[in-house]
Amino acid sequence: MKQQPEELLKKHQQLTHTEGLTVESHTQREQGDWFIHTLMMQGHSVPFKYKRPKKYKSLIGQKVSVVYYPASESVAGFEVEIMQVVRIRRY
């Protein structure tokens, strides 16, 4: 059974739920057995990242509902802030 955003937010205090975000950019790249998806949202300067076992059709221009938490990753020796997506749905 899939969890609703409200249930996830109750269990994990660091999660944030935002609805109605418009996707400006959507890239997909293969990494081993997974595809890493990176989204840039309108009005946000931080990338939203998640992984799936297969490619997905482009979300550019779509409105989405996203549950995510702030994280950081090291790229070329620099710490970069990202938003790690836990759940994403078309709005």
Side-chain angles (χ1 to χ4, degrees):
M1 183 167 102
K2 303 236 177 183
Q3 292 184 328
Q4 296 298 318
E6 297 79 25
E7 294 174 18
L8 290 170
L9 294 171
K10 284 180 187 176
K11 289 182 183 178
H12 307 283
Q13 297 298 320
Q14 290 184 321
L15 287 177
T16 304
H17 178 226
T18 307
E19 292 187 0
L21 292 176
T22 302
V23 178
E24 286 186 339
S25 170
H26 180 195
T27 60
Q28 304 176 56
R29 66 185 185 286
E30 193 171 357
Q31 187 177 49
D33 293 340
W34 293 91
F35 285 91
I36 307 299
H37 297 258
T38 304
L39 304 173
M40 290 300 294
M41 304 292 187
Q42 189 173 28
H44 294 273
S45 60
V46 178
F48 289 72
K49 295 180 84 173
Y50 64 98
K51 62 183 178 178
R52 291 177 52 101
K54 59 183 180 178
K55 278 193 164 188
Y56 194 74
K57 59 183 161 181
S58 179
L59 294 173
I60 295 174
Q62 298 289 317
K63 288 197 179 280
V64 292
S65 171
V66 183
V67 176
Y68 60 92
Y69 61 91
S72 64
E73 67 179 23
S74 181
V75 177
F78 295 99
E79 286 295 315
V80 177
E81 183 182 11
I82 64 168
M83 297 299 172
Q84 188 64 46
V85 175
V86 175
R87 180 179 187 264
I88 185 167
R89 298 283 185 261
R90 285 192 192 165
Y91 189 64

